[in-house]
Amino acid sequence: MRRSLLIAVGLMAAASTAVPDLAAAQQRRQGDQKRQEQEASAKRKRDAEWNDVQAPLPALRNAGPCPYVKVLYDAARYIDFKDNREASASVAYSGEIQGISAGCQYKDEEPIRVQMEVLFELGKGPQATSNSRTYRYWVAVTKRNDFPITKQYFDLPVTFPAGEDRVYVTEKIGEIVIPRATLTTSGANFEVLVGFDVTPQMAAFNREGKRFRVNAGQAVAGTTSENP
């Protein structure tokens, strides 16, 4: 905005003098040179002020980038097996984080405030003993590629309608407040992670990328093992 205003003022001044004399032209050159020196000095000062030596990443400018928000892969799915037997027929309850939308806001010396919406797909398997289930998930704030700062758990109670084996639920996380060490600390220095509260077996199952087909283990009529 300020740069546009300076250009407009310069154009108006030029229009007021149709044939500038030599002295006026020399004066303008001196003024231009002085202005360039001032701009260069201001740029050096601005770059020094934006240098965030406390951040674990290269210096970032606080132009408003939000923290990185993502699902932790090992905790992205929840699959509860009866008797710890990994088979589609042994699934009691399941869940998967389908997507996240997020936004943030901060300015001056204010902390970073993040709002999130998380979409869950939740399922009831053959070994389910009830139409109700309370899932548990967590939200953690970490320094990017570094240690966690805080972690909070949430309960998600779900009731499956009669005759339905899956539901979709959107959870709204009203506000996550992340303090900033200095005025120049950027939101890009942080990550917000989301995941189910899973057992070590569930985490290993997810890490190995295992999945079940709906008709796993069932014979398909009309198929043959012969090669064409």
Side-chain angles (χ1 to χ4, degrees):
M1 180 65 70
R2 186 176 294 110
R3 183 176 299 170
S4 299
L5 181 60
L6 289 174
I7 292 175
V9 172
L11 290 174
M12 293 173 61
S16 64
T17 306
V19 185
D21 56 20
L22 182 60
Q26 184 177 3
Q27 186 177 9
R28 281 198 301 274
R29 284 196 297 271
Q30 293 174 348
D32 291 342
Q33 183 178 0
K34 183 177 181 180
R35 185 167 57 253
Q36 291 173 0
E37 292 174 354
Q38 291 174 343
E39 290 177 352
S41 176
K43 183 178 184 301
R44 287 193 298 270
K45 181 180 179 181
R46 185 170 61 251
D47 290 343
E49 289 175 348
W50 283 121
N51 184 24
D52 184 3
V53 296
Q54 298 191 34
L57 302 175
L60 296 173
R61 292 187 175 185
N62 179 19
C66 288
Y68 294 85
V69 179
K70 59 185 181 181
V71 181
L72 185 66
Y73 184 78
D74 289 2
R77 292 182 294 143
Y78 176 99
I79 302 183
D80 181 19
F81 296 105
K82 182 180 179 180
D83 300 327
N84 292 326
R85 181 171 174 268
E86 293 185 1
S88 57
S90 299
V91 174
Y93 298 94
S94 64
E96 186 167 356
I97 299 176
Q98 294 288 354
I100 300 176
S101 60
C104 79
Q105 179 180 357
Y106 63 99
K107 61 181 180 180
D108 300 330
E109 297 180 353
E110 295 178 359
I112 302 168
R113 302 179 186 275
V114 181
Q115 300 82 35
M116 297 172 51
E117 288 189 358
V118 185
L119 176 62
F120 293 91
E121 180 184 7
L122 308 167
K124 182 180 67 170
Q127 299 301 325
T129 57
S130 172
N131 287 332
S132 298
R133 176 74 170 184
T134 297
Y135 294 82
R136 203 169 193 223
Y137 68 96
W138 49 263
V139 177
V141 178
T142 73
K143 282 194 173 182
R144 188 180 174 197
N145 301 324
D146 207 332
F147 58 88
I149 300 173
T150 185
K151 185 176 184 180
Q152 186 171 350
Y153 289 85
F154 300 90
D155 288 332
L156 178 59
V158 173
T159 298
F160 296 92
E164 298 291 335
D165 63 358
R166 72 181 62 187
V167 295
Y168 291 88
V169 178
T170 299
E171 279 279 274
K172 296 183 178 181
I173 313 297
E175 190 169 81
I176 300 170
V177 180
I178 306 174
R180 297 161 62 211
T182 67
L183 176 67
T184 58
T185 300
S186 165
N189 290 311
F190 304 95
E191 289 182 333
V192 180
L193 304 177
V194 183
F196 283 104
D197 185 19
V198 297
T199 65
Q201 181 190 16
M202 294 179 188
F205 185 89
N206 293 334
R207 195 178 304 119
E208 294 172 9
K210 296 179 180 178
R211 287 182 178 272
F212 290 125
R213 300 190 307 274
V214 174
N215 62 344
Q218 297 178 0
V220 180
T223 60
T224 179
S225 60
E226 296 180 358
N227 294 327

